Amino acid sequence: MDIGGGRSIWAIAVVSDTRLLVIVNSTTKVILVNSQTGGTVTQVTLKGGPRRLCMFDNIRAVVTLGDKSLQFININGDSLELGQSISVNRCVWGISRSEDRLIVSYRSPPGLEVLSMDGRVINTFINQAAGVDVFKGPYSISTSADGMVYVSDSKRSTITKLDSNLHVTRTYSDPILQTPCGIICVSSDQVLVCSQGSNRIMLLCPSTGAITSILGQQDGIEKPYALTYLPSLKKMYVVPNELSGRIQVFQQQ
């Protein structure tokens, strides 16, 4: 589906079987999109620099902004309303939710934190192990149903698994996993990843560490940037390139 050629799509999330929430960075808007037609249902303008987002039970989302703040958005049917805005001490990039807490990533300097819903820092990840940085470019975050946190590192070309207290449990890598960007947990043992550098959508099975390619250039995938998944209909939505203004839809078997 084409939601506007030339507009930069930076993040997408499932709201319902027929609705997607989309960050259009070039126009500082968050758009509610009809996922069947690609048409805009409604939109709301932010004060600038929206980056990533995560959902809360299909009625609320939170968006990371480039001005050191987080913006909550309330979803009421086919309408969007700005909710609470939270100031944080650095520019947040990736964001996910773990129960009543937020997990956020920072790219400069690289790091992770657990925040309360009002922005209070609960836990900070120390980004060095034996003198070596664990993260160089923590980009996107997704949390599985069992509370594990998965972080794509676009500079190290790795996926790191942490517990809810930000203790690293395992790091995954593979030669075909290159410049990973968007990431989404489908289940506790299925994690989908945009491998931008290899033009693939990858499936990570955390229990075995296996990383396999499930979509590639033959499917129209080129520099995939973001993705989300609709379990009820087994549909995957992929932004093939953040500058394309398009969202691809794939039906899983």
Side-chain angles (χ1 to χ4, degrees), residues 47 65 69-72 83-87:
K47 53 187 175 182
L65 301 177
S69 69
L70 306 176
Q71 176 66 58
F72 285 88
Q84 180 184 11
S85 179
I86 296 173
S87 295

Side-chain angles (χ1 to χ4, degrees), residues 239-253:
V239 178
N241 183 312
E242 73 269 27
L243 301 179
S244 69
R246 294 187 300 118
I247 298 173
Q248 295 174 303
V249 185
F250 296 95
Q251 182 71 55
Q252 301 299 296
Q253 300 302 316

Side-chain angles (χ1 to χ4, degrees), residues 169-187:
T169 63
R170 189 169 178 181
T171 297
Y172 306 90
S173 63
D174 190 280
I176 61 173
L177 179 66
Q178 301 170 18
T179 320
C181 293
I183 184 170
I184 186 79
C185 293
V186 176
S187 69

